[in-house]
Amino acid sequence: MLVDVTAAPTFTSRPKVELHVHLDCSLTRRALNRLGNPIGEAEFRRLYTAPERCDNLMDYLRAIGPSAAALQTAPALAIATDEMMRALAADGVIHAEIRFAPHTHQRGGLSLDQVMAAVTEGLAAGAEATGITAGLILCALRDYPPEANLTVIELAHRWRDRGVVGVDLAGDEAGHPAAANRAVFDRAHVLGLPVTAHAGEAAGPDSLAEVMALLAPARIGHGVRAIESEDLLAEIKARNLHLEVCPSSNIQVGVYSDYADHPIDRMSRRGLSLSINTDARTVAPLSLSLEYRRLAVAFGWQTGEFLAHNLEALRHAFWPEAAKPALGGRLVEGWSG
Ligand SMILES: [Zn+2]
């Protein structure tokens, strides 16, 4: 157990904003049931989740395999997205940004536009069923050729009015510098697409500085290893960059050995703009409510911290500014008392 949360409040009914969660790491058992592949809870855990602390990356990747394999048809993508929205709503999430790499869902022969049609259909169904709002972030991958990543940017542009809110750089940070994708993200900026990028997780401050200098993102996925550089912390603050922090995910893949070692509390105290995220709801397995319980126990976080970080998440969400005050009002109301 990462943190004993038995004495902590549950947080399930508290309203939350989640900005960093991957579709292919969050496939639910209910989605598999609806797709005609019923699976018992124990078997689901064994096949689709990774240990809370993985000994190596293979432990983690092994758990993503079955989910990735399942998400290669239009019905699977639509139902998985719909069910993910329902899981988010059940967790108290009122607004989410769900990300995925479209190219990784083409093994069954779907075109990129067919992938998008299926995911946006599921997103609309989930929004209708739950009343929550969500946008899609399309991921370019560090280990993919820049030409393939450029098609992701163009795809995001084409689907921007139909659910897509931004683009991301994901994939193996340690082995693939961001420089190869500079022109890809130049194109995203030309098209006016909001940009976030994974950095400062598997690699340290140099990788973060590279991404900030070359890709000019508005937000950073993780970014926690900025804590190793005073210069970087100052620059992140000066640029008003937002960090999408995923504490349990970092511990699961061994960036930090223990929850108490995680820098989220130190970063929060230094006034950095950050949000709390799951990254991978099924592979973890994790809910945002459980993550909040861990933060409450490990660092004594209370209503004030949680509300502040949710308001920061909303402020930096790739969502129409006109829609934010109503969501902000629900956050303030839901965290009062
Ligand atoms: Zn991620």
Side-chain angles (χ1 to χ4, degrees), residues 143-173:
D143 38 336
Y144 268 46
E147 311 80 69
N149 286 334
L150 205 49
T151 65
V152 173
I153 304 300
E154 300 297 340
L155 189 69
H157 178 58
R158 277 209 302 288
W159 286 82
R160 183 145 186 208
D161 295 332
R162 295 176 283 171
V164 172
V165 297
V167 292
D168 174 35
L169 181 66
D172 177 16
E173 181 186 10

Side-chain angles (χ1 to χ4, degrees), residues 183-216:
V184 171
F185 285 86
D186 282 349
R187 179 66 182 151
H189 289 301
V190 165
L191 293 171
L193 285 163
V195 172
T196 180
H198 283 70
E201 179 199 19
D206 291 350
S207 169
L208 256 170
E210 182 200 35
V211 160
M212 285 161 58
L214 301 186
L215 307 189

Side-chain angles (χ1 to χ4, degrees), residues 20-22 99 168 170 198 201 221-222 244 246 249 279-280:
H20 189 131
V21 58
H22 294 258
R99 64 187 69 195
D168 174 35
H198 283 70
E201 179 199 19
H222 302 292
E244 307 155 359
C246 316
S249 172
D279 204 9

Side-chain angles (χ1 to χ4, degrees), residues 46 191 242 255 265:
R46 190 177 71 79
L191 293 171
H242 177 80
V255 181
D265 186 55

Side-chain angles (χ1 to χ4, degrees), residues 21-25 68 71-72 77 98-107 111-112 115-116 119 136-144 148-149 151-153 155 166-171 198:
V21 58
H22 294 258
L23 175 64
D24 61 346
C25 297
L71 294 173
Q72 303 298 333
L77 285 164
I98 298 169
R99 64 187 69 195
F100 64 103
H103 280 98
T104 63
H105 300 287
Q106 293 190 288
R107 279 188 263 158
S111 69
L112 290 175
V115 169
M116 293 306 302
V119 174
L136 301 173
I137 295 176
L138 303 192
C139 304
L141 295 174
R142 286 176 184 260
D143 38 336
Y144 268 46
N149 286 334
T151 65
V152 173
I153 304 300
L155 189 69
V167 292
D168 174 35
L169 181 66
H198 283 70

